[in-house]
Amino acid sequence: TLYDLFAVVRHIGGINGGHYISNCKNPVNEEWYEFDDEFIRHLPASSVPSTSSEAYLLFYAKRSSDEQISGKRDIVEKYLTPSLQRVEETEKKNDKVYISLYWALKWNTFTNPGVVCNLDVACEHGLMQPSTAKDSSQRVLAVTKDVWEKLCSYYRPGPVLSSTAACKQCLKRKRELEQRRLHEQEKVQNDDSKKDTVWYLISTHWVTQWKNFVQNNQPKTGRGTWLGVLPPGEVSNKTLLDDEGRPRKNLKIALHYRGINKKVWDFFMETYGGGPAIIRRSLDIYEKEIQSK
């Protein structure tokens, strides 16, 4: 089995700091280019530092010796390549289907690109995610239905995308979530300022999930979701209690649980449900339990 080098990441500097530069081969013109922050320049193939000590990551594409796979790719290329070359002409047709440019890139690079998948651009309703619709020309490629059917016959079909219009249902859902975040945050901030004679103790883990939702704190790694952080599940205090309903050992305020007043607790129960209620005179979870009325 043979592999062809198509990208190198170089590290320049020492163990305490440095700079990264990438060298990538353009699959269209087979030429190499160097990417150094905002600077891009053509690079002779002989200058690609694949064996240099600066080479940090090397990326290879497998050359398939499997005649069946090679034959499949030849047939698909026969259908797909003309479509790639006639983008504007295909766009004018009514029987077109859109495929993700990300999938097309995988097809061009990998031996097997996997299912013809549009999940990076399509929503659950089979339309464009509003966040990708605004620059659809850089996200998807129009192909005729016969090309789509040929691709699916070889690689299995994913979600069909027949329009680049932004999904109105997703837009509505996003606005509803934005309004809900604002409402819940204002409601809890207002009710939390009111004094009470008892404390309702609640899992810090669940409160953190709720805060991530109302503040829309997307994960720092990964792609996240266009809708933003989704609401948490029901309130769960079961992690604070053993099988007999008594507080587990070594629980600490703030680290494992927090205290809220009855109005905030009632709001959470009405909105999310769950429980059970853990009521105390103070913020000490190990003091005598108070029964809820």
Side-chain angles (χ1 to χ4, degrees):
T1 302
L2 297 176
Y3 293 82
D4 293 313
L5 182 72
F6 68 90
V8 178
V9 176
R10 298 157 50 201
H11 178 263
I12 301 173
I15 192 171
N16 295 318
H19 182 66
Y20 291 94
I21 297 175
S22 61
N23 303 135
C24 305
K25 188 177 184 180
N26 187 319
V28 176
N29 62 13
E30 299 290 320
E31 295 292 330
W32 282 86
Y33 295 87
E34 181 177 272
F35 298 84
D36 183 359
D37 291 336
E38 72 271 27
F39 302 104
I40 303 173
R41 70 181 182 93
H42 178 263
L43 192 69
S46 59
S47 299
V48 178
S50 58
T51 59
S52 166
S53 60
E54 293 180 352
Y56 182 67
L57 293 172
L58 294 93
F59 298 84
Y60 292 88
K62 182 180 178 182
R63 281 190 202 173
S64 174
S65 58
D66 188 322
E67 293 182 1
Q68 183 178 3
I69 292 178
S70 298
K72 178 195 298 185
R73 290 190 63 84
D74 290 342
I75 294 174
V76 173
E77 188 168 5
K78 175 184 175 182
Y79 279 85
L80 186 57
T81 302
S83 184
L84 293 173
Q85 295 171 345
R86 298 195 304 268
V87 175
E88 293 183 2
E89 180 182 329
T90 306
E91 279 283 359
K92 297 176 183 178
K93 295 185 177 181
N94 294 323
D95 65 338
K96 60 182 174 293
V97 177
Y98 293 90
I99 61 173
S100 163
L101 278 176
Y102 175 64
W103 185 87
L105 177 62
K106 290 199 299 181
W107 176 83
N108 193 59
T109 305
F110 300 156
T111 301
N112 187 345
V115 174
V116 186
C117 185
N118 289 322
L119 290 177
D120 61 310
V121 292
C123 71
E124 60 187 277
H125 309 110
L127 297 172
M128 288 284 285
Q129 297 175 20
S131 60
T132 59
K134 58 186 177 182
D135 56 352
S136 60
S137 62
Q138 301 175 36
R139 302 271 191 162
V140 295
L141 170 72
V143 298
T144 56
K145 282 190 176 179
D146 62 324
V147 173
W148 167 259
E149 290 169 358
K150 182 62 68 173
L151 290 174
C152 292
S153 69
Y154 284 116
Y155 300 111
R156 293 181 292 135
V160 179
L161 184 63
S162 56
S163 172
T164 56
C167 178
K168 293 181 179 180
Q169 286 180 266
C170 283
L171 277 173
K172 180 181 177 183
R173 172 66 170 152
K174 182 178 177 66
R175 294 191 186 104
E176 289 174 346
L177 284 172
E178 289 171 347
Q179 292 171 356
R180 177 175 171 178
R181 290 188 187 100
L182 183 61
H183 166 69
E184 290 193 22
Q185 196 166 19
E186 290 179 347
K187 171 69 174 171
V188 170
Q189 286 176 348
N190 182 58
D191 289 346
D192 193 44
S193 62
K194 299 174 182 178
K195 294 183 179 181
D196 206 341
T197 57
V198 296
W199 290 98
Y200 283 73
L201 306 185
I202 185 170
S203 163
T204 296
H205 176 69
W206 187 89
V207 171
T208 300
Q209 289 183 312
W210 177 80
K211 284 184 176 180
N212 285 338
F213 164 60
V214 296
Q215 296 171 2
N216 198 22
N217 292 327
Q218 292 273 28
K220 294 181 179 179
T221 58
R223 294 171 58 188
T225 168
W226 178 77
L227 290 173
V229 179
L230 299 178
E234 65 178 19
V235 177
S236 178
N237 277 339
K238 293 181 180 179
T239 56
L240 303 176
L241 306 174
D242 60 22
D243 294 339
E244 297 180 2
R246 295 176 300 195
R248 297 182 183 275
K249 296 181 179 180
N250 302 318
L251 296 178
K252 293 180 172 59
I253 182 69
L255 180 62
H256 298 107
Y257 67 91
R258 295 178 178 274
I260 57 178
N261 62 31
K262 187 176 187 303
K263 286 188 72 68
V264 175
W265 175 262
D266 288 344
F267 173 72
F268 283 152
M269 289 299 99
E270 179 183 346
T271 307
Y272 294 99
I278 304 174
I279 311 172
R280 300 290 189 269
R281 293 285 181 192
S282 72
L283 291 174
D284 183 0
I285 195 172
Y286 297 106
E287 78 170 20
K288 185 178 180 180
E289 180 181 2
I290 297 176
Q291 298 297 326
S292 59
K293 297 180 181 179

